[in-house]
């Protein structure tokens, strides 16, 4: 059994965090999320050209997460879909830039900040926590830093991004926060 050192929970508009002896979980409040999608006829070269023009990398390999020079996390969840996580005030410029530059390439971006939230899970207890409600193998050899996967946690659809050693960002529908919390 894990001992709770502190538990803070306020209303839906306040901060939410949980600190345990080997784990901390917090809602990243000032995070914006954008979804980038491409049409099937878009080539790898067109995606690379868009990345070059925008000065960030859209991972071409499935189930990868990268961090750009400005600190935005970009995860590839399918061959045609990426999620960009950044400061809330930067997401609208990302989506506008993708839509301006990607229009001729059939690549579009949508601001999902009102629909998707991010939980940060940090600590050596993260893998144990995830294993209680998810069938993915989170051992470091199977899910190394830089990995991304979509799976169920409990009955909730979640995107797991392995950001750093013992640090994960979970993207989920805002309506599932109370269920998972």
């Amino acid at each position: 059994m894990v001992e709770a050192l502190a538990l803070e929970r306020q209303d839906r508009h306040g901060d939410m965090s949980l600190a345990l002896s080997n784990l901390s979980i917090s809602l990243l409040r000032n995070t914006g999320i954008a979804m980038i999608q491409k049409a099937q006829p878009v080539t790898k070269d067109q995606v690379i050209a868009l990345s070059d023009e925008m000065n960030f990398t859209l991972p071409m390999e499935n189930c990868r997460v990268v961090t750009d020079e400005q600190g935005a996390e970009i995860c590839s969840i399918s061959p045609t879909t990426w999620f960009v996580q950044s400061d809330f005030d930067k997401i609208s410029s990302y989506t506008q830039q993708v839509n301006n530059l990607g229009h001729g390439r059939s690549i579009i971006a949508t601001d999902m900040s009102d629909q998707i939230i991010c939980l940060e899970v940090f600590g050596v207890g993260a893998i144990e926590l995830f294993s209680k409600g998810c069938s993915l193998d989170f051992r470091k050899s199977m899910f190394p830093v830089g990995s991304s996967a979509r799976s169920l946690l409990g009955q909730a659809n979640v995107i797991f991004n392995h950001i750093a050693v013992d640090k994960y960002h979970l993207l989920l529908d805002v309506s599932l926060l109370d269920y998972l919390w």
Side-chain angles (χ1 to χ4, degrees):
M1 183 164 118
V2 180
E3 287 183 43
L5 298 177
L7 174 61
E8 299 172 27
R9 183 173 178 178
Q10 297 176 1
D11 64 17
R12 289 179 167 241
H13 304 288
D15 291 329
M16 294 177 73
S17 64
L18 169 67
L20 307 170
S21 59
N22 64 353
L23 179 71
S24 69
I25 304 170
S26 58
L27 175 63
L28 299 183
R29 289 307 244 168
N30 295 320
T31 299
I33 309 287
M35 181 173 57
I36 300 174
Q37 293 182 300
K38 67 176 185 168
Q40 292 301 327
V42 176
T43 67
K44 181 178 178 178
D45 290 338
Q46 289 173 310
V47 174
I48 292 170
L50 176 66
S51 294
D52 290 343
E53 289 177 42
M54 292 193 57
N55 295 319
F56 73 78
T57 303
L58 290 172
M60 295 305 297
E61 184 182 350
N62 254 1
C63 302
R64 299 296 302 159
V65 61
V66 298
T67 303
D68 75 5
E69 295 171 358
Q70 299 173 8
E73 294 169 13
I74 305 151
C75 66
S76 169
I77 60 165
S78 78
T80 61
T81 307
W82 298 267
F83 279 99
V84 179
Q85 174 189 333
S86 185
D87 294 334
F88 187 78
D89 57 345
K90 293 181 182 176
I91 283 297
S92 62
S93 65
Y94 272 106
T95 58
Q96 185 176 13
Q97 193 175 15
V98 169
N99 288 331
N100 289 342
L101 296 171
H103 180 69
R105 299 179 179 105
S106 298
I107 299 173
I108 60 166
T110 305
D111 186 339
M112 305 290 287
S113 301
D114 289 339
Q115 296 172 295
I116 299 175
I117 57 169
C118 180
L119 288 177
E120 182 174 86
V121 180
F122 179 74
V124 295
I127 292 173
E128 182 181 352
L129 173 71
F130 298 155
S131 69
K132 300 293 183 193
C134 182
S135 62
L136 287 177
D137 187 347
F138 287 99
R139 289 177 298 165
K140 290 170 180 50
S141 61
M142 299 303 291
F143 197 72
V145 172
S147 296
S148 180
R150 177 178 272 185
S151 188
L152 293 176
L153 181 60
Q155 297 298 315
N157 192 359
V158 175
I159 297 171
F160 295 87
N161 290 328
H162 193 177
I163 302 305
V165 175
D166 298 327
K167 182 177 180 182
Y168 300 84
H169 284 171
L170 280 58
L171 305 180
L172 56 129
D173 189 282
V174 69
S175 67
L176 298 172
L177 179 60
D178 286 339
Y179 169 74
L180 286 176
W181 195 260

